[in-house]
Amino acid sequence: MALHSFLLKADWPGGRNSVGTIDAGNLKTEVSIPPEMDGPGVGTNPDEMLLGAAATCYIITLAAMLERASIQVSNLSMESEGIVEVEKGVITYKTIIHRPTVTLANDEQMELTQKLAEKAEKSCMISRALKGNVDIKLEANIK
């Protein structure tokens, strides 16, 4: 069994509406509460970072599966949406919707590509980590 350790250092100078920094190796940025939640909106925020982790894990997993299946892809892109609910002051990350677009070099493997798009969502380690807490949906466009 292999274990991998990832480190993040955070500095936060004050109260709720301060602007902090994070450093996780290749990810160095300012962080604050987003303006949608009455924060300063400087840098990124936990909502964007969770969505980014889920989206990049999914698209990398899908790309690897397509490659292993020898499916020729002329373009792979994606848009993901995170939906956060605020009810009675309680903030809950409810749903992530991945909307990948896979353009195939030929249309012979559309059905297999759709199956792999669905399998990638279930196989991604971030999706598995969120399972039971955040509903992850897939709206794949295979063409």
Side-chain angles (χ1 to χ4, degrees):
M1 172 176 63
L3 295 176
H4 302 280
S5 178
F6 301 92
L7 299 174
L8 181 140
K9 293 181 183 178
D11 286 307
W12 193 262
R16 179 191 189 280
N17 285 322
S18 294
V19 175
T21 59
I22 60 169
D23 181 340
N26 289 322
L27 174 62
K28 295 172 179 52
T29 189
E30 291 182 309
V31 293
S32 71
I33 295 173
E36 296 88 350
M37 296 177 183
D38 299 322
V42 177
T44 191
N45 58 68
D47 309 282
E48 290 174 343
M49 289 192 300
L50 182 63
L51 181 60
T56 55
C57 183
Y58 173 82
I59 200 164
I60 290 168
T61 302
L62 177 56
M65 289 180 165
L66 293 168
E67 182 178 283
R68 281 194 299 271
S70 298
I71 295 175
Q72 297 296 315
V73 174
S74 61
N75 187 48
L76 174 58
S77 62
M78 189 170 73
E79 181 178 288
S80 291
E81 178 181 1
I83 300 169
V84 176
E85 174 185 84
V86 181
E87 186 176 328
K88 297 179 183 175
V90 177
I91 303 167
T92 305
Y93 216 113
K94 298 296 281 185
T95 307
I96 292 174
I97 306 166
H98 295 310
R99 297 184 182 105
T101 297
V102 183
T103 305
L104 301 173
N106 61 60
D107 61 359
E108 296 172 5
Q109 296 178 303
M110 290 184 78
E111 188 175 318
L112 177 56
T113 301
Q114 179 65 40
K115 287 179 183 176
L116 291 176
E118 294 167 10
K119 185 177 179 183
E121 188 276 310
K122 293 172 180 61
S123 300
C124 161
M125 77 170 178
I126 301 298
S127 295
R128 290 192 328 263
L130 296 174
K131 188 176 182 178
N133 292 305
V134 178
D135 185 25
I136 300 180
K137 298 180 180 181
L138 178 68
E139 296 175 3
N141 178 17
I142 314 298
K143 52 186 182 173

